[in-house]
Amino acid sequence: MKTGLVLEGGGMRGLYTVGVLDCFLDRGFMADYVVGVSAGACNGASYVSKQRGRGRRVNLDYLDDKRYLSLYSFLKTKSVFGMDFLFDEIPNQLEPFDYQTFFENPTEFWVGVTDIHTGKPVYFDKSHCDHDCTVLRASSSIPVFSPVVAYQGGEYLDGGSSDPIPIEKALADGCDRLIVVRTRDRSYQKKPESFHAVYGHVFRHAPAMRAVLEHRHERYNQTLEKLSQLEKEGVASVIAPREPVTISRFEKSRQKLDALYKDGMADGQIFLHSIGWKG
């Protein structure tokens, strides 16, 4: 039985995922396979490197640093999240990423991105993360709010735009059992984007990317239907916030974010109890 962990993105809503994953590490639960997009990929990397608490520190300890998440960062770098700070200074200096443990861990790890010229999801395995955070940066680059990321001849943006909850990828890679960590409650349905004019202008030379954004809500809601069916079939288990998550992907309230983290920890415990995990 190959167990796959599928991690949704959502910016700062990913503190919920961090709580679930820290619970898993506390209890010694390691999946055979991890695939994530955007914040899900970033938090999943710290899980595979077994750095309990790293995701929480990265997300909370630098909230007041203007290089992390601010208008200053957007005006200076064209990204609301400071990408150089997040994907260079933090992993290499402030919160060193444990590459040795990451690669020694037999758990498969995949990062999803969106090709802006085809509008299709593209996935990179852990070999692309060898002292290089470029694919994680690309997966986390929110359209309009972050610049396009070039990598190995391609141009990429947020993986959640084209494949918001990559369950099909996990199944295609041979996972028999899925654990899906969402950052929205079960009742959530995505609505159409409200920035059509902005997307149309920014991606006027990338029509495939523009189409992805215009139809993103349809893909998201279709994925939820598929996920619901997989639950009924006993293939997937979903861990999701029990109440609607009202914070945005750019939330800066430490109190709200820490509460969401604790919710994730609690729900992780409930899930492990439900499967009889003894670790």
Side-chain angles (χ1 to χ4, degrees):
M1 177 82 60
K2 181 177 180 179
T3 299
L5 186 57
V6 180
L7 307 176
E8 183 178 9
M12 300 306 288
R13 290 190 295 270
L15 260 298
Y16 179 82
T17 303
V18 175
V20 173
L21 299 181
D22 276 357
C23 171
F24 284 3
L25 289 173
D26 285 345
R27 297 285 302 279
F29 181 84
M30 183 60 58
D32 305 304
Y33 173 104
V34 176
V35 60
V37 293
S38 194
C42 296
N43 296 325
S46 291
Y47 168 71
V48 176
S49 68
K50 301 181 182 180
Q51 291 179 271
R52 195 261 187 231
R54 182 178 183 274
R56 184 176 183 277
R57 293 193 302 274
V58 168
N59 281 281
L60 294 182
D61 289 0
Y62 303 98
L63 278 175
D64 297 328
D65 192 315
K66 63 183 180 180
R67 297 171 296 171
Y68 180 76
L69 171 59
S70 66
L71 178 60
Y72 166 86
S73 176
F74 185 69
L75 294 174
K76 184 175 181 180
T77 69
K78 298 183 180 180
S79 177
V80 173
F81 287 98
M83 294 308 208
D84 289 340
F85 184 65
L86 274 171
F87 296 106
D88 183 4
E89 189 166 348
I90 285 180
N92 293 321
Q93 299 177 39
L94 300 176
E95 296 287 343
F97 186 73
D98 188 346
Y99 286 99
Q100 181 175 345
T101 300
F102 178 75
F103 284 106
E104 288 178 351
N105 188 342
T107 294
E108 295 179 51
F109 179 72
W110 291 86
V111 179
V113 301
T114 300
D115 185 316
I116 70 165
H117 299 295
T118 67
K120 302 294 184 181
V122 177
Y123 303 93
F124 295 98
D125 65 17
K126 66 163 58 174
S127 68
H128 292 268
C129 301
D130 190 0
H131 292 81
D132 183 352
C133 292
T134 304
V135 295
L136 290 172
R137 177 174 182 154
S139 188
S140 304
S141 292
I142 303 169
V144 177
F145 296 100
S146 300
V148 171
V149 175
Y151 181 70
Q152 294 189 347
E155 291 186 301
Y156 305 107
L157 281 172
D158 173 28
S161 296
S162 58
D163 198 3
I165 309 174
I167 53 179
E168 297 286 2
K169 169 62 176 172
L171 293 172
D173 286 345
C175 293
D176 308 290
R177 176 76 176 170
L178 303 183
I179 302 168
V180 181
V181 182
R182 297 189 56 194
T183 54
R184 293 286 196 179
D185 72 286
R186 285 177 173 272
S187 69
Y188 178 80
Q189 290 279 308
K190 184 173 278 298
K191 298 177 181 179
E193 296 292 342
S194 57
F195 298 105
H196 292 286
V198 176
Y199 289 139
H201 174 72
V202 172
F203 297 108
R204 60 192 181 280
H205 301 306
M209 188 67 207
R210 185 173 66 244
V212 164
L213 297 173
E214 290 176 349
H215 297 283
R216 177 161 52 178
H217 65 291
E218 297 170 3
R219 174 64 188 270
Y220 188 94
N221 296 333
Q222 288 167 0
T223 300
L224 294 184
E225 291 180 8
K226 173 68 174 180
L227 181 56
S228 178
Q229 183 60 38
L230 291 174
E231 277 194 279
K232 292 176 182 177
E233 295 171 357
V235 174
S237 296
V238 175
I239 304 174
R242 283 167 276 174
E243 300 292 335
V245 179
T246 57
I247 67 172
S248 78
R249 66 177 69 181
F250 303 129
E251 181 63 59
K252 295 196 69 173
S253 167
R254 191 180 308 274
Q255 182 178 7
K256 291 179 181 179
L257 293 170
D258 194 48
L260 191 59
Y261 168 83
K262 291 176 181 176
D263 287 345
M265 283 280 289
D267 290 346
Q269 292 280 16
I270 292 171
F271 169 76
L272 292 179
H273 178 75
S274 73
I275 64 172
W277 181 255
K278 302 298 183 182

